[in-house]
Amino acid sequence: MTLIIGEISYTNILPTFYYLDREKLNDLDCRFVPQIPAELNRGMAIGAVDVGGISSFAYGENFDRYTLLPNLSVSAYSRVGSLFLFSKIPIEELNGKSIALTSSSATTVHLLKIILERFYEFSVQYKVMKPDFESMLENHDACLLIGDDAIKTVWNKSDQYYMYDIGQLWYDHTGLPMTFAVFAVRNEVLQTEPEKLSVLYQQLINSKMKSIDLRFQPMIKDIKNNFGGTQAFWEQYFQGLSYDLNDQMLQGLNYYYQLAYELGYLKKKVQTISLWSAFDHCHSM
């Protein structure tokens, strides 16, 4: 059976994929599917993707169908640098206004809603749109962009609009880190492809650790050539992210799920966050 691996098409998750031995994984009948988070979320839900990086919110919707790979995520303790609310007016004046939301993901969209509804006690009108800055702000007071779309917009528009880092807003109100993407596997794959999953997991961990050990330098060189940006920007960006999934991150994730459920964004309360283990299959947090 081919193991279909979802690979988020954003720079922020690249350290976990950059040093994979893809030839070895291909020989094991593993196939990579690069897509934006929203597409991978749908692929996992319908069984077209077996394992990979997905939005944390998508795991919350399917916590009883998925298991998380431990020690892997895209998280931040405060500022993220690629998840921004761009606004024509200060955030304190957004009550009763309209915000265009990116169609690319789910975690940050719901995180913004939680922040504005729970912490600011605002009532805001939302519209989901393709991530195009100009069209999003044409008829709305603010817009939410994530990933590479947000980074490019910061470079080009940062001096014209109010900008709010969503990770920083979450931290300011909770004191907790936020986990935006997790590595999930469909539960049935745990039984059918344990050996392939073990090899993939070890390679993901090795890639993460090698990226950190090399301070992301070879990867940054490639990103600059392909995407642009300065050395200083990318060094600061990756230093602000974490690719672990520790107890504090799980605490922040559980609080996010709790608020999402209380506000009606999750239909089911997340009872447990199950973590996979190569030795005893999984345990719960």
Side-chain angles (χ1 to χ4, degrees), residues 19-246:
Y19 291 104
L20 295 184
D21 186 343
R22 293 175 186 258
E23 184 175 345
K24 179 178 179 179
L25 290 168
N26 287 336
D27 289 342
L28 288 175
D29 201 16
C30 297
R31 183 163 65 86
F32 290 87
V33 179
Q35 293 178 329
I36 61 170
E39 293 170 343
L40 291 179
N41 297 344
R42 287 190 290 269
M44 283 279 290
I46 65 175
V49 175
D50 297 316
V51 58
I54 61 170
S55 297
S56 296
F57 186 82
Y59 174 77
E61 291 181 305
N62 298 277
F63 73 94
D64 50 353
R65 299 174 55 217
Y66 301 164
T67 297
L68 295 188
L69 300 183
N71 305 314
L72 291 169
S73 77
V74 179
S75 302
Y77 283 93
S78 55
R79 186 180 184 275
V80 182
S82 57
L83 309 169
F84 282 100
L85 177 70
F86 299 91
S87 181
K88 299 174 183 176
I89 57 178
I91 192 171
E92 293 80 9
E93 300 175 13
L94 282 175
N95 192 26
K97 303 299 184 180
S98 64
I99 298 178
L101 303 171
T102 178
S103 60
S104 298
S105 187
T107 300
T108 311
V109 162
H110 290 96
L111 183 61
L112 176 63
K113 291 180 179 180
I114 289 169
I115 290 169
L116 293 180
E117 187 172 346
R118 176 55 64 94
F119 302 135
Y120 285 88
E121 299 183 349
F122 284 176
S123 176
V124 177
Q125 300 296 316
Y126 297 104
K127 182 177 181 181
V128 176
M129 300 180 64
K130 291 182 179 180
D132 180 84
F133 180 79
E134 302 294 344
S135 60
M136 293 174 88
L137 281 184
E138 186 175 354
N139 297 307
H140 296 87
D141 302 290
C143 73
L144 174 68
L145 289 172
I146 71 168
D148 297 347
D149 298 315
I151 290 173
K152 290 178 179 178
T153 303
V154 169
W155 291 346
N156 297 320
K157 304 289 184 180
S158 60
D159 59 340
Q160 302 174 39
Y161 296 89
Y162 295 93
M163 290 195 323
Y164 301 93
D165 188 294
I166 307 303
Q168 186 68 56
L169 290 176
W170 170 257
Y171 179 80
D172 289 345
H173 288 93
T174 67
L176 293 168
M178 181 60 202
T179 296
F180 298 93
V182 291
F183 284 76
V185 55
R186 293 189 296 111
N187 287 341
E188 52 266 40
V189 177
L190 296 174
Q191 305 301 323
T192 59
E193 299 295 340
E195 293 182 7
K196 292 178 185 177
L197 188 60
S198 294
V199 174
L200 172 65
Y201 175 69
Q202 192 57 57
Q203 287 218 18
L204 290 168
I205 291 292
N206 290 345
S207 182
K208 177 188 82 166
M209 296 309 300
K210 187 171 182 178
S211 296
I212 294 170
D213 289 344
L214 294 176
R215 301 181 67 182
F216 311 103
Q217 292 305 313
M219 187 183 69
I220 287 175
K221 182 178 179 180
D222 281 349
I223 293 171
K224 286 166 56 182
N225 290 335
N226 297 324
F227 191 81
T230 65
Q231 183 76 17
F233 171 84
W234 289 114
E235 287 183 354
Q236 181 181 32
Y237 178 64
F238 286 111
Q239 288 168 5
L241 296 174
S242 174
Y243 297 95
D244 301 325
L245 190 58
N246 59 32

Side-chain angles (χ1 to χ4, degrees), residues 117-118 255 257-266:
E117 187 172 346
R118 176 55 64 94
Y255 188 43
Y257 290 145
Q258 174 189 329
L259 295 179
Y261 174 72
E262 290 176 358
L263 295 174
Y265 299 126
L266 283 175

